[in-house]
Amino acid sequence: MAYKVFISPTGTGNVVFEGDVVNGYTSPDGKKVVLKFYSNDRGYTCGAYNVDAAGAKALRDELASLIENNSSNTLKFKALSSQKHFSLAREIENVPMILGAIGTDAMFGTSYHRGDAEAMKKVLAEFDTVIKTIDDVMAGKGPAA
C-alpha cells in the first residue's frame, strides 16, 4: 500500500497517516499523536501509543536502537527495547524475526510483525516517514483541507 496522508474527515483538523505497518494521526500542534503498529503476523491487531510529537520521536529512536543492535543476529534470541515499548525475537535459528509493538493503550495491547532484517528496516523507514509527516504538520505544511 502506498503511504497516504490526509485531513481527518471528522472536522477535528487532525492529520491522518496510513502506511503498511504504522498508521495513526496527529493534531495540528503535535500535542496529540496516536501511533498504531499493525500486525502482519497473527491476525488484524495493533499496538497503539498515545504520545506527543517528542514522544513519537523517542519511540522511533527506541525502535531504531533495538533493530540496529539485534537484526543481524541469526540465532534464537529475544531482546527488549530500552523503555520496553518494543521487543525483537527469533524463535528458531535463521527464520524471520518477530517485532513486538507493546502498546501503551491497554485496549489494543501488543501486535507482532514478522520479517527478516530488511523488513525491519522497512518498518523503521516507514516510521521515519511518519515522523517527517508529524514535523510537516506542525510546521503548517500538512495536507490542505
Side-chain angles (χ1 to χ4, degrees), residues 17-140:
F17 43 86
E18 294 180 349
D20 290 327
V21 177
V22 186
N23 297 278
Y25 64 89
T26 182
S27 61
D29 59 7
K31 290 183 180 176
K32 180 167 178 70
V33 176
V34 173
L35 301 168
K36 294 183 178 181
F37 284 72
Y38 282 87
S39 173
N40 72 344
D41 186 37
R42 297 183 177 138
Y44 189 71
T45 62
C46 73
Y49 304 86
N50 296 310
V51 294
D52 59 10
K57 289 176 184 176
L59 282 170
R60 183 263 174 226
D61 292 344
E62 183 180 345
L63 179 59
S65 178
L66 180 67
I67 289 172
E68 289 164 6
N69 291 331
N70 296 286
S71 64
S72 64
N73 185 349
T74 60
L75 303 174
K76 178 181 174 179
F77 75 93
K78 180 167 184 179
L80 285 172
S81 63
S82 60
Q83 299 299 310
K84 297 182 174 70
H85 291 121
F86 300 98
S87 66
L88 193 61
R90 187 183 308 277
E91 295 175 343
I92 302 170
E93 286 183 35
N94 296 315
V95 299
M97 291 177 282
I98 301 170
L99 171 65
I102 307 162
T104 58
D105 186 332
M107 186 166 85
F108 292 99
T110 302
S111 69
Y112 300 95
H113 186 78
R114 184 180 299 272
D116 61 10
E118 287 304 311
M120 297 305 148
K121 288 178 186 173
K122 285 181 183 177
V123 171
L124 191 55
E126 186 172 283
F127 205 166
D128 288 338
T129 303
V130 166
I131 296 298
K132 183 180 180 325
T133 298
I134 294 167
D135 288 344
D136 286 350
V137 168
M138 289 172 45

